[in-house]
Structures are given as C-alpha cells and as structure tokens.
C-alpha cells in the first residue's frame, strides 16, 4: 500500500494504521468524505485540499487513539475558530462509524469464509461495501484504491434517470448506472447520435443567451425588476425636494457572448448525460456567440471549434468526420493545464468559461487546483454543468468537485436539455452573483420536501 498515489493513505510502522486490504481503506476514505460533507452542510469553510491533507494526517497518527485522530482532523479540516463547535458535534458520530465499520470489515476479512469458504463471495461483497451497505455515500460508490496494476480506477455512478441514448443499457427495475475507467479507451464519435429536438435546441439557446447578460456588464433602464438605478433615483429626487416619487429600475444590457466551452467526453459523462443535448450545446454555443472556442477532453484535450461550426445541424457527424474521439478516461486537471499551455488566448477577462463535467477526476489534485485557479482568475466567470447534480442527493464532495467548487460562479445540474432551461431561468432572474446553482433548483427542493413528508 505504501506509495499508492490514489489512496492518500499510507501505512506507518508502529501505529494502528488502516488495515492493508481494500475494503478497510475505502471505508476510511468514505467516512472522511462523509465528515467533510457534514461540516460543509453546517457552513464550515473546509479547504478544497482538506480531504488529501486529512488522509495524510490519519496515516501519520494512526487510528488507535481517538484524541490524536480528533486533533489531526481538527488541524486539517478547520480554518476558523468559530467552526470548532460544528466539528465537536460531528466528530463523535464520525469516530463511531469509523471504528465500528473497521471492526466489522476486519472480522469479515479474518473470518473462516474470507479464506475461500462457501460464502466467500457474499462476505467479500459485504466487506467491500455492497449495494445495501448503509455506510456508502448516497451519490456514488467509493473508488477502488489499489487498482489492477495499470492505473485503472472504477467508480459506479447512479444516475436515477433513464434515456435511450447511445449505448445505454436496456431498461431494468434498478436505477441505471455505468462504470468508467480513468484511463479507458476512446472511440470515434457515434455519428448515429440523434439531433436534439426543437424544444431541446430552444432550451440550449436560452442558456447561451442568458450567459450574455451576466452581472458586471452594461445596464439599461427597465420598467420593472429587482435592481434599482440608484443614480437615476438621486437625479429624479432633485425635482421633488429630495424625496424620490418612484425608484427607476435597470436590467443587464444584452451583449455579445464570448465563451470557452470545455466538454468532458469521458465514459462516465457520456453514460450519464443526453448526448444529443450535449452536442447541441457545443453547436449552438459556436453558432450564437460572438467568439467561441469549443474543446473536448477525456484523458487529452482537443479543439473541436471548426468541426462544430461546420456541423449544419449534425454535430455528431461533423465530429466523426473530423476524427474526434470520445468515451475515454478522465483527467480534468490535465485538460486545464493543456489549455493553459496550448491555447491561453481562448480565455480572457471578457470570456465566460463553461465546463461540462461530472468532476470525477483521478489526476493530480494540485494540477486540478492550479488549472481551475488559472481559469477563475483569467475569465469573466466560470459556470460548471454537472450531470450528477440533477440528483436530489448530490453534494460536491468528490475530490474533483470539492476542489473546483469554490472557484465557480454557478454549479448547475445538466443531464438533459430541460436542465439548461432551468439554469438559464436562474441566471436571467438573479445573475451569477446571486443565489444560483443546483441547490436552488425547484425540482430538487420539491423532491427534498416530498422526502421529508414521507419520513
């Protein structure tokens, strides 16, 4: 286990470290991510790199002494003294789940069936975190940390949506899901992918147009709206003795959009999103924006601007004719770094960067953080569209999403065209400076309310 770059947990001689089998290591990381998620729900400002720092700290102090574990996590997860109360409340549950889970897994691994008895498969499934394991996070199964020697890492993603798109499985009684590999093979774009419907194209157009009215642009007088023209009200008050009779309103002036669209075409995204809506977003962005650059990435980054500009209603066919491939692995940070080196002029202070990705990055977290920091500093705004965020159980707790979330102005769910219409509605109403994102989607809040009533 020592030197495994994906786990973040190393063994230390002389300490009760994580037992050296996959289920135990997965359990420790799962509970750590759960603790970070719970702290963020209590508005604790947990740093983006906290999960890696906390994992390394646990590797140093071991898991045998509750006080040492508490001190290590307090030092790595908290950045303000005011957050100590929330941590003190969350830690006892974390410790209980951590120790009881390790005891249960250790018993299963050391028991007679673990050595190859008749029930070996069943016990191993339970120890590794099967479908009925209550300790697993609700939005994804934890990754396999040791791989198979070639760098492959698999994650199972529940989508909770069923569509006939591409190579999706036949309908079944269970929620649809897919496996992806961080270094999986890619193939030419499927030219048979159907074009988006008229309603789908309208939703995409509305989203693209909404990006042209972001806060900070020039404004004009409006008959109504939430924004008050303070200067206009002051000038008008001079005619009425200093008391304004009415408050003039303003609204953003529609402007020409400059956009850099970065589309994750890894297998995990393609199996979770409506491909026709994804391709329509690329085509309509290129055709409607004043200046647009379109890039596709999985383990590598390629520019597809020319292909989608020539799509003429068939973006899938145009990408295939350009020998563009998709469906490989996921290296988001590497894609950002490649963009910075090969096409830095694609992003400037007038550019809105739109990233379509599930955030399941398995590359170097420092590379990802450096890339998203560069984008956020250089661009006018960064908007992130995540197909997993359509689930009511979604939280940006994966390593990739927790790293990028502090740098984006809006994080929206996008699995089909209607999701873009909802994102556009929020941007039109509140702008990216307001309360926007997946957590403000009325479909999500309605689902949460229904769940609360049923409970």
């Amino acid at each position: 286990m020592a030197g495994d770059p994906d786990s973040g947990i190393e063994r230390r001689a002389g300490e009760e470290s994580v037992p050296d089998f996959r289920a135990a290591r997965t359990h420790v990381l799962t509970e750590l991510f759960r603790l970070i998620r719970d702290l963020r729900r209590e508005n604790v400002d947990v740093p983006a790199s906290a999960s890696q720092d906390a994992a390394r700290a646990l590797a140093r102090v071991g898991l045998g002494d509750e006080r040492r574990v508490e001190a290590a996590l307090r030092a790595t997860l908290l950045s303000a003294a005011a957050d100590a109360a929330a941590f003190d409340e969350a830690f006892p549950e974390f410790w209980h789940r951590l120790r009881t889970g390790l005891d249960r897994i250790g018993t299963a691994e050391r028991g007679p069936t673990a050595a190859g008895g008749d029930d070996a498969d069943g016990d191993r499934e339970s120890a590794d975190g099967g479908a009925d394991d209550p300790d697993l996070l609700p939005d994804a199964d934890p990754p396999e940390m040791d791989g198979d020697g070639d760098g492959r890492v698999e994650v199972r993603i529940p989508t909770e949506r069923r569509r006939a798109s591409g190579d999706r499985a036949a309908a079944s009684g269970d929620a649809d899901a897919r496996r992806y590999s961080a270094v999986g093979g890619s193939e030419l774009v499927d030219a048979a992918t159907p074009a988006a419907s008229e309603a789908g194209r309208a939703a995409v157009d509305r989203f693209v147009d909404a990006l042209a009215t972001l806060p900070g642009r020039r404004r004009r007088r409006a008959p109504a709206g939430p924004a008050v023209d303070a200067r206009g009200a002051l000038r008008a008050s001079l005619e009425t003795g200093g008391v304004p009779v009415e408050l003039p309103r303003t609204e953003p002036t529609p402007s020409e959009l400059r956009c850099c669209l970065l589309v994750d075409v890894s297998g995990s995204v393609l199996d979770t999103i409506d491909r026709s809506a994804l391709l329509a977003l690329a085509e309509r962005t290129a055709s409607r924006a004043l200046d647009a650059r379109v890039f596709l990435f999985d383990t590598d980054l390629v520019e597809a601007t020319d292909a989608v500009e020539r799509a003429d209603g068939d973006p899938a066919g145009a990408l295939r004719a350009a020998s563009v491939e998709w469906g490989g692995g996921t290296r988001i940070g590497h894609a950002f770094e490649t963009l910075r080196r090969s096409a830095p002029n694609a992003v400037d202070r007038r550019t809105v960067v739109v990233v379509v990705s599930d955030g399941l990055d398995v590359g170097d977290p420092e590379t990802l953080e450096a890339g998203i920091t560069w984008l956020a500093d250089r661009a006018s705004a960064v908007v992130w569209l995540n197909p997993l965020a359509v689930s009511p159980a979604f939280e940006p707790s994966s390593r990739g999403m927790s790293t990028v979330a502090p740098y984006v102005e809006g994080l929206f769910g996008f699995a089909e065209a209607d999701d873009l219409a909802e994102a556009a509605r929020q941007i039109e109403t509140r702008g990216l400076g307001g309360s926007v994102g997946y957590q403000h989607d009325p479909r999500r809040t309605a689902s949460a309310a229904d769940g609360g009533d049923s409970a």
Side-chain angles (χ1 to χ4, degrees), residues 334-417:
H334 174 73
F336 291 169
E337 176 63 22
T338 303
L339 178 70
R340 183 177 185 175
R341 287 187 286 102
S342 62
N345 59 339
V347 182
D348 59 27
R349 62 180 182 83
R350 298 172 297 172
T351 305
V352 177
V353 175
V354 179
V355 182
V356 182
S357 176
D358 54 15
L360 298 177
D361 180 58
V362 296
D364 182 3
E366 294 182 358
T367 301
L368 177 58
E369 185 166 12
I372 190 63
T373 301
W374 173 75
L375 281 177
D377 288 344
R378 191 173 178 88
S380 170
V382 178
V383 178
W384 199 286
L385 305 177
N386 189 326
L388 300 182
V390 300
S391 169
F394 172 79
E395 293 291 342
S397 55
S398 68
R399 184 177 70 182
M401 284 313 306
S402 64
T403 299
V404 303
Y407 298 92
V408 304
E409 277 74 20
L411 170 57
F412 301 94
F414 170 40
E416 53 192 25

Side-chain angles (χ1 to χ4, degrees), residues 12-16 54 57-76 87 91 94-95:
R12 183 187 180 201
E15 299 285 357
E16 183 183 350
L58 291 181
R60 291 295 180 183
V61 304
L63 302 177
D65 189 327
E66 179 179 359
R67 289 176 298 177
R68 297 182 67 182
V69 170
E70 180 180 4
L73 294 182
R74 186 186 299 273
T76 53
F87 178 85
F91 179 80
F94 161 80
W95 179 252

Side-chain angles (χ1 to χ4, degrees), residues 39 41 81 116 161 177 184 249 288 337 342 358 364 424 428 449:
L39 291 175
R41 283 179 174 176
R161 294 197 180 187
R249 309 286 175 168
R288 296 179 71 87
E337 176 63 22
S342 62
D358 54 15
D364 182 3
E428 293 164 351

Side-chain angles (χ1 to χ4, degrees), residues 69 89 100 136 162-163 178 221 239 277 281 320 385 423:
V69 170
E89 183 176 349
T100 56
L136 293 183
R162 302 180 179 88
R163 285 180 297 277
R178 281 293 180 270
R221 187 67 63 88
E239 301 177 359
L281 175 62
R320 185 177 183 88
L385 305 177

Side-chain angles (χ1 to χ4, degrees), residues 30-40 73 77 87 90-91 94:
T30 298
E31 291 306 325
L32 180 58
F33 293 149
R34 185 193 297 272
L35 175 62
I36 293 174
R37 180 198 64 186
D38 292 344
L39 291 175
R40 285 176 172 154
L73 294 182
L77 299 183
F87 178 85
F91 179 80
F94 161 80

